[in-house]
Structures are given as C-alpha cells and as structure tokens.
C-alpha cells in the first residue's frame, strides 16, 4: 500500500511539474514572439518607403550602368540609418543588382535570391528592397 501511495504521489508531482513547465514555456514563447514581432515591425515599412527612390529604381530600369554602384552606396547609408545588417536590391529574376555590403570581403552583388525568400511577395507589393 505504501508503495502505491508513493507512486501516485510521484506521478501527480511529475504531472504538475510538467504542466507548470508547459505553462512557463508557453508564456516565454509568447514574450519571445511579441519581441520578435516588434523588432520586425520596426522594418516593415522601409522597403515600401525606399522602393520609389530614384537611386533604387535606376539600376532596375537601366541595368549595366553605374546606377548599381550608386544604389549600393544609398543602401549602405540606409543600413547605417536604420541599423539593419544588410539590404539588397534585386531585380524580378532574383538577381542582386545592389547591396549595402558592397565593400565587404564577400559582397552580395550578382547573388540569386535564396529559395527560402519569396521574390513574388516583394514584387507583387512593388517593393524594390529586401532587408535582412
């Protein structure tokens, strides 16, 4: 009988501990999710805002000119202002035509859009820049 009481007590304690852990984990997840959403919201309007800037439209309208270099310099200034890690300008084929990290050891010019990102979403919204 004593063994049964000890077993039931251990089972109940374990279930309560797991329920408490699940509750705390759900609360933590909610806080992390909100924090992430707030961080993303800081940047959500930037592509729309800068997409009509002539420095970003010129390389798309006139590829092969020196407009790519000017667009990269502009994206570098945007990055410094907003504190993003990188900003890219891509054409409708997903080719990076300008990048804020143009002067780094591994710039992103000429890089094709990774399959994890969707260019259709950006181009459908007429957004010329993708920030990361």
């Amino acid at each position: 009988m004593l063994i049964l009481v000890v077993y039931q007590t251990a089972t109940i304690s374990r279930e309560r501990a797991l329920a408490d852990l699940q509750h705390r984990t759900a609360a933590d997840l909610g806080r992390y999710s909100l924090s992430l959403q707030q961080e993303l919201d800081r940047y959500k309007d930037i592509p729309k805002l800068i997409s009509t800037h002539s420095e970003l439209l010129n390389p798309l309208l006139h590829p092969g000119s020196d407009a790519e270099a000017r667009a990269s310099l502009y994206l570098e200034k945007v990055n410094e202002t907003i504190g993003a890690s990188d900003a890219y300008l891509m054409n409708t084929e997903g080719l990076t035509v300008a990048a804020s990290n143009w002067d780094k050891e591994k710039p992103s010019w000429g890089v094709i859009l990774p399959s994890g990102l969707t260019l259709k979403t950006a181009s459908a919204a007429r957004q010329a820049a993708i920030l990361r």
Side-chain angles (χ1 to χ4, degrees):
M1 182 75 162
L2 180 61
I3 294 174
L4 183 60
V5 170
V6 170
Y7 176 76
Q8 285 180 334
T9 303
T11 303
I12 291 171
S13 295
R14 181 176 178 266
E15 288 175 3
R16 285 184 181 170
L18 285 174
D20 182 50
L21 180 61
Q22 186 177 18
H23 178 70
R24 282 186 285 149
T25 302
D28 287 346
L29 179 61
R31 284 192 296 277
Y32 297 144
S33 178
L34 180 61
S35 176
L36 178 60
Q37 188 60 50
Q38 288 172 339
E39 187 67 22
L40 291 174
D41 283 347
R42 285 180 50 199
Y43 301 105
K44 72 177 175 140
D45 294 325
I46 293 172
K48 183 178 179 181
L49 178 67
I50 64 174
S51 67
T52 57
H53 196 285
S54 62
E55 290 292 358
L56 297 178
L57 290 176
N58 286 336
L60 298 173
L61 299 173
H62 311 289
S65 64
D66 64 340
E68 288 94 349
R70 287 194 313 274
S72 290
L73 289 171
Y74 177 73
L75 288 175
E76 183 181 31
K77 289 178 187 176
V78 168
N79 254 22
E80 290 171 1
T81 302
I82 65 174
S85 59
D86 294 306
Y88 306 102
L89 176 66
M90 297 176 182
N91 64 17
T92 55
E93 288 79 39
L95 181 69
T96 305
V97 296
S100 62
N101 62 353
W102 66 273
D103 62 339
K104 304 297 186 264
E105 186 176 321
K106 293 184 178 181
S108 300
W109 279 29
V111 175
I112 298 294
L113 183 71
S115 60
L117 297 174
T118 58
L119 184 63
K120 290 180 183 177
T121 304
S123 62
R126 302 265 195 275
Q127 296 175 346
I130 295 177
L131 303 170
R132 106 178 146 124

